[in-house]
Amino acid sequence: MRAIRILLILVVIFGGIFVAADRFAVNYAEDEVAAKVRTSQGLSAEPQIDIKGFPFLTQVLGKKLDRVDVTMDGLEASAEGKKLTVGTMTAELHDVALENNFSSATAARATGTAVISYDDLTRAAGDKDVKLAYGGGGKVKVTGSISFLGRELTRSVLSSVSLKNGGRSIAVRADEVPGQEIPGLEKLIRKKIDFERPIGGLPNGLKLDKITPVETGMQISVSGTNVHLAG
């Protein structure tokens, strides 16, 4: 009986040591990945990395992590050369393969959400006379000024937002335009307030799936396969 008690005590002790070592290793790995993601994505601050699954060390030996959650701020996307600062972006990466002596990683699949502010989208519109804001009911309010028959006209319209080009572009189009009965006016207004912009700069492998106007900005859902995480 004494031998069994000693054996059980040793199992508990070594089990505790293994758990402690495993948690130390995962915390170290999370810090290393955060530094690499910050560098590869040009972030102003290190992202939060949460490596899921236990034990971590056996996942490392197999060079594949079950799941990695990433939260990052300050990611810069782009729209026709103009920078778009993405608000907090969260992503779940699954089946993450560790490569090149653990210097890089690629997720077999990933999903996530992010928000782009209306101020950044206004700058992406490419016209200082156009401003975007939340219009309520899942719409965007677009305000623009035009010159028509010697007069300066400012109009605000509710616009719908959609994804184009296989989820690589955001399109904004007015539902209705005031003064449609006046020849040439609708075309002139639409030329000012309707636009489509390709969005680039997201982590390699991610694309836009859905876009929804909310009070804080355009909320986007992203997904992808073979998503490059760091390197």
Side-chain angles (χ1 to χ4, degrees):
M1 290 296 294
R2 184 184 177 194
I4 293 176
R5 284 199 300 271
I6 292 174
L7 179 61
L8 289 175
I9 291 172
L10 290 175
V11 167
V12 171
I13 291 173
F14 284 114
I17 292 173
F18 174 77
V19 171
D22 192 79
R23 292 303 88 191
F24 175 83
V26 75
N27 290 336
Y28 176 81
E30 288 170 348
D31 290 343
E32 289 294 301
V33 172
K36 288 182 179 294
V37 172
R38 178 180 180 179
T39 300
S40 64
Q41 298 300 327
L43 304 177
S44 57
E46 287 193 357
Q48 296 178 16
I49 304 295
D50 186 7
I51 299 175
K52 302 292 187 179
F54 179 83
F56 166 70
L57 291 173
T58 58
Q59 296 183 69
V60 171
L61 289 174
K63 294 187 177 181
K64 180 173 285 188
L65 306 178
D66 295 337
R67 173 177 157 187
V68 178
D69 289 354
V70 181
T71 302
M72 64 182 81
D73 294 306
L75 177 67
E76 286 190 346
S78 62
E80 293 192 343
K82 298 178 178 63
K83 290 183 179 180
L84 284 173
T85 300
V86 179
T88 300
M89 178 176 181
T90 61
E92 290 184 7
L93 301 106
H94 299 268
D95 297 329
V96 181
L98 305 175
E99 305 160 338
N100 302 323
N101 289 325
F102 307 107
S103 65
S104 63
T106 300
R109 65 187 190 283
T111 58
T113 59
V115 174
I116 300 177
S117 73
Y118 291 113
D119 286 342
D120 274 304
L121 286 167
T122 293
R123 286 188 282 272
D127 191 322
K128 61 182 179 62
D129 295 326
V130 173
K131 181 176 178 59
L132 279 74
Y134 184 56
K139 301 288 184 179
V140 174
K141 183 174 74 172
V142 183
T143 302
S145 299
I146 61 168
S147 296
F148 185 72
L149 299 179
R151 297 178 58 190
E152 190 75 12
L153 302 178
T154 299
R155 294 289 185 269
S156 293
V157 299
L158 290 179
S159 298
S160 296
V161 183
S162 60
L163 296 176
K164 301 289 185 181
N165 195 24
R168 290 185 289 273
S169 299
I170 294 176
V172 178
R173 181 175 175 80
D175 295 346
E176 294 183 5
V177 175
Q180 296 181 95
E181 67 282 356
I182 302 175
L185 182 57
E186 178 180 3
K187 183 178 180 180
L188 191 61
I189 293 176
R190 285 196 178 278
K191 186 178 180 180
K192 172 72 69 169
I193 61 176
D194 290 348
F195 63 91
E196 180 178 334
R197 294 290 182 271
I199 301 297
L202 295 175
N204 292 337
L206 286 180
K207 66 178 182 64
L208 308 183
D209 272 342
K210 181 181 178 182
I211 185 164
T212 306
V214 296
E215 288 188 23
T216 54
M218 295 286 194
Q219 182 173 284
I220 60 176
S221 299
V222 298
S223 69
T225 56
N226 297 321
V227 178
H228 195 56
L229 180 60

